[in-house]
């Protein structure tokens, strides 16, 4: 029998049958887990119909995995949306939001491209986290 | 006292506080566990890329790939990778970057109407043990 660290979810015997299903574990030494390389907040502002790109430098030298959420601080302060990429110039259908943010990942920086399709200037706040896991 | 397991961030007393973000590991909050990871470098004509995971349920998946950027001209493969999914439909052109999740596989597709079929697209994906729901 080998050695390793397994942590099961509350109520599940780590030595029992249920724990053999890895989705019932909190931590499994056999599997990789996402490890945070950096995180932060950016604020993006754009005029009506405009865009703003904000980049955040990193030193990983490969494209990291990124997860980010954003909200319009004025029109949708309670509605956080996950970033997607490259939205159409017209006809955004994401829950009637006029704001879209594309998430991109490069070898020296990550970036967030805000596209404001409302009839007035807009500002979004974005929370991001990027990981050591990525293209390499 | 209820038993638990926590690993706190440096400088944080592991025995006090309840703020989840103070801990690298907390029994109450499962970590995303990587089931499989891979990269692809595929000709446009060879999409979709199928990756079998055989989990028997719909897992959480994240995919990034290059984008075929154009603004009325010849599409250009971007250096940076973009988060999937995207789907743009113009009057006569489409841009697709899509990852479909099935119970035992995922399918990754990247295309653009005007792109040469031999164009190579790079990207990577992570499939997690953790189900979507």
């Amino acid at each position: 029998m080998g050695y390793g660290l397994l942590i099961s979810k509350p109520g599940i015997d780590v030595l029992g049958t249920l724990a053999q299903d890895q989705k019932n574990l909190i931590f499994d030494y056999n599997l990789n887990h996402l490890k945070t390389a950096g995180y932060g907040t950016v604020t993006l502002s754009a005029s009506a119909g405009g865009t703003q790109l904000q980049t955040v430098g990193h030193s990983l030298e490969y494209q990291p995995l990124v997860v980010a959420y954003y909200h319009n601080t004025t029109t949708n302060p309670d509605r956080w949306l996950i970033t997607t990429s490259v939205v159409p110039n017209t006809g955004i259908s994401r829950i009637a939001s006029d704001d879209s943010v594309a998430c991109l990942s490069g070898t020296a920086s990550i970036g967030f491209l805000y596209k404001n399709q409302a009839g007035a200037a807009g500002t979004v706040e974005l929370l991001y986290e990027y990981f050591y896991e990525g293209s390499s | 006292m209820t038993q638990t397991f926590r690993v706190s961030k440096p400088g944080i007393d592991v025995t006090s506080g309840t703020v989840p973000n103070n801990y690298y590991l907390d029994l109450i909050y499962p970590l995303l566990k990587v089931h499989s990871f891979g990269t692809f470098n595929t000709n446009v004509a060879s999409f979709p890329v199928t990756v079998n995971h055989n989990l028997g349920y719909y897992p959480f998946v994240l995919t990034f790939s290059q984008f075929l950027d154009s603004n009325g001209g010849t599409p250009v493969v971007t250096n940076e990778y973009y988060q999937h999914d995207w789907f743009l439909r113009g009057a006569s052109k489409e841009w697709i970057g899509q990852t479909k999740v099935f119970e035992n596989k995922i399918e990754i597709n990247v295309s653009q109407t005007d792109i040469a079929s031999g164009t190579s697209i790079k990207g990577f994906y992570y499939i997690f043990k953790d189900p979507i729901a």
Side-chain angles (χ1 to χ4, degrees):
Chain A
M1 179 179 175
Y3 294 92
L5 178 62
L6 298 174
I7 303 173
S8 61
K9 291 180 178 177
I12 292 179
D13 180 357
V14 75
L15 298 177
T17 303
L18 285 176
Q20 292 175 10
D21 186 342
Q22 291 170 308
K23 70 175 182 291
N24 288 329
L25 299 174
I26 302 292
F27 180 87
D28 185 338
Y29 77 103
N30 292 295
L31 301 172
N32 189 19
H33 299 69
L34 296 185
K35 294 173 288 294
T36 302
Y39 63 92
T41 304
V42 297
T43 300
L44 302 157
S45 296
S47 59
T51 62
Q52 186 196 351
L53 173 66
Q54 177 74 50
T55 61
V56 178
H58 65 75
S59 56
L60 296 173
E61 299 183 344
Y62 55 84
Q63 295 91 347
L65 191 63
V66 187
V67 175
Y69 284 83
Y70 68 97
H71 70 156
N72 186 303
T73 55
T74 302
T75 60
N76 280 309
D78 298 324
R79 179 183 291 166
W80 289 84
L81 301 174
I82 194 168
T83 56
T84 58
S85 282
V86 197
V87 296
N89 291 324
T90 59
I92 289 181
S93 59
R94 294 195 71 198
I95 324 177
S97 173
D98 286 324
D99 308 296
S100 69
V101 180
C103 175
L104 48 139
S105 180
T107 55
S109 65
I110 59 174
F112 307 99
L113 176 61
Y114 171 39
K115 183 173 287 186
N116 175 17
Q117 297 186 98
T123 297
V124 297
E125 180 187 38
L126 179 142
L127 305 176
Y128 67 87
E129 193 155 346
Y130 64 98
F131 302 91
Y132 285 106
E133 286 68 29
S135 66
S136 177
Chain B
M1 177 182 172
T2 303
Q3 291 182 325
T4 188
F5 190 100
R6 283 175 175 165
V7 178
S8 64
K9 292 180 178 178
I12 302 289
D13 181 356
V14 75
T15 64
S16 66
T18 56
V19 179
N21 202 32
N22 283 342
Y23 305 106
Y24 286 137
L25 181 61
D26 189 320
L27 181 62
I28 300 173
Y29 303 103
L31 300 179
L32 288 177
K33 298 170 287 293
V34 177
H35 171 68
S36 63
F37 148 77
T39 60
F40 53 89
N41 185 2
T42 304
N43 290 340
V44 168
S46 298
F47 282 107
V49 171
T50 298
V51 180
N52 295 313
H53 58 74
N54 299 317
L55 288 169
Y57 54 84
Y58 299 94
F60 183 52
V61 177
L62 289 169
T63 306
F64 279 70
S65 79
Q66 290 176 306
F67 174 63
L68 299 162
D69 194 11
S70 71
N71 189 15
T74 303
V76 175
V77 179
T78 62
N79 290 322
E80 66 275 10
Y81 292 8
Y82 286 76
Q83 179 185 350
H84 279 209
D85 290 348
W86 65 82
F87 186 94
L88 298 82
R89 176 174 286 163
S92 60
K93 304 180 192 306
E94 287 183 346
W95 292 257
I96 296 173
Q98 197 173 54
T99 299
K100 294 181 181 179
V101 181
F102 299 88
E103 285 182 309
N104 289 303
K105 66 177 181 179
I106 65 170
E107 287 183 357
I108 301 168
N109 189 26
V110 181
S111 68
Q112 199 274 347
T113 306
D114 296 331
I115 198 70
S117 60
T119 305
S120 290
I121 301 295
K122 297 177 183 175
F124 66 89
Y125 63 86
Y126 277 83
I127 302 171
F128 298 89
K129 290 286 186 188
D130 310 80
I132 294 172

